[in-house]
Amino acid sequence: MKSKLPIDKLIYRDVYIGGLAKDELLKKLSENKIGLNELAVKFINHNEFKLYHCKLKLQTVEIAVSDLGFSNGTTTEDICKKSHELGFSICPHELGIHLRLQYIDFHQPIESQKGNWQNIILKGDFDEPGFTIGFYLRHREDGFWLRGYKASLDYIWEPVDRFIFVKT
């Protein structure tokens, strides 16, 4: 049985990545007054964090956990499996940075409610065994942020939590 997605709730964005070194990306974030937390800096500076040397255009899709069919929430593993079945894949490491720079405000309300920011899962060995790691893009009273996160593998994401994947 093929899953039906709520097409009207999917948000697609074209994002250009590649062609910049880590120090150039960090400089652009600073110039645009985009905050980074300690984990985001750790992930970006980690040897595992991969960059594309050539520019590349990707189409992303943003979707809520409930729109993937998990009305009671679920784990990262289930979210990844379902997104893969739907033709979406995990984003390249640098995509979160470019997404934040190219779509700084996302029309994000300044609220502390879950679901008002976008999560991006990072794959790889970032010295965080037993955890899902990634970035989330958030708008707080003190500005726009690209923040790193880590969540235990059994963490249950809320139905309103939103994730960004690449359309394959």
Side-chain angles (χ1 to χ4, degrees), residues 33-35 96 100 103-106 108-119 135-148:
K33 297 180 174 59
I34 296 170
R100 179 88 277 178
Y103 297 92
I104 289 177
D105 72 0
F106 282 94
Q108 290 175 312
I110 300 175
E111 294 180 36
S112 60
Q113 283 181 273
K114 290 180 109 1
N116 285 332
W117 53 86
Q118 295 80 10
N119 296 287
F135 291 122
Y136 65 97
L137 289 71
R138 187 161 179 201
H139 184 191
R140 300 184 339 177
E141 287 186 16
D142 59 351
F144 295 101
W145 286 81
L146 175 69
R147 299 178 62 86

Side-chain angles (χ1 to χ4, degrees), residues 125-139:
D125 180 13
F126 284 87
D127 303 325
E128 299 290 339
F131 290 92
T132 297
I133 62 163
F135 291 122
Y136 65 97
L137 289 71
R138 187 161 179 201
H139 184 191

Side-chain angles (χ1 to χ4, degrees), residues 7-149:
I7 300 298
D8 59 324
K9 294 184 180 181
L10 300 180
I11 300 171
Y12 291 96
R13 295 181 186 91
D14 289 333
V15 181
Y16 295 88
I17 69 168
L20 296 173
K22 288 181 185 181
D23 60 333
E24 294 171 302
L25 288 170
L26 290 168
K27 182 179 178 190
K28 283 186 172 283
L29 289 167
S30 176
E31 289 170 351
N32 285 280
K33 297 180 174 59
I34 296 170
L36 299 169
N37 68 350
E38 188 177 316
L39 270 179
V41 173
K42 176 184 176 182
F43 297 153
I44 293 167
N45 286 322
H46 196 283
N47 290 337
E48 183 75 16
F49 193 85
K50 304 292 185 230
L51 299 173
Y52 282 79
H53 297 293
C54 299
K55 290 198 177 221
L56 179 65
K57 178 183 172 182
L58 300 173
Q59 186 176 54
T60 65
V61 61
E62 178 182 329
I63 189 166
V65 171
S66 62
D67 295 333
L68 287 169
F70 302 109
S71 58
N72 295 318
T74 194
T75 64
T76 305
E77 182 180 5
D78 289 340
I79 292 167
C80 289
K81 280 182 188 176
K82 183 66 168 186
S83 66
H84 182 73
E85 289 172 14
L86 296 168
F88 308 141
S89 62
I90 299 298
C91 300
H93 293 162
E94 68 183 283
L95 187 125
I97 298 170
H98 291 285
L99 193 59
R100 179 88 277 178
L101 288 168
Q102 291 168 38
Y103 297 92
I104 289 177
D105 72 0
F106 282 94
H107 304 289
Q108 290 175 312
I110 300 175
E111 294 180 36
S112 60
Q113 283 181 273
K114 290 180 109 1
N116 285 332
W117 53 86
Q118 295 80 10
N119 296 287
I120 298 171
I121 299 165
L122 293 178
K123 288 290 187 185
D125 180 13
F126 284 87
D127 303 325
E128 299 290 339
F131 290 92
T132 297
I133 62 163
F135 291 122
Y136 65 97
L137 289 71
R138 187 161 179 201
H139 184 191
R140 300 184 339 177
E141 287 186 16
D142 59 351
F144 295 101
W145 286 81
L146 175 69
R147 299 178 62 86
Y149 73 84

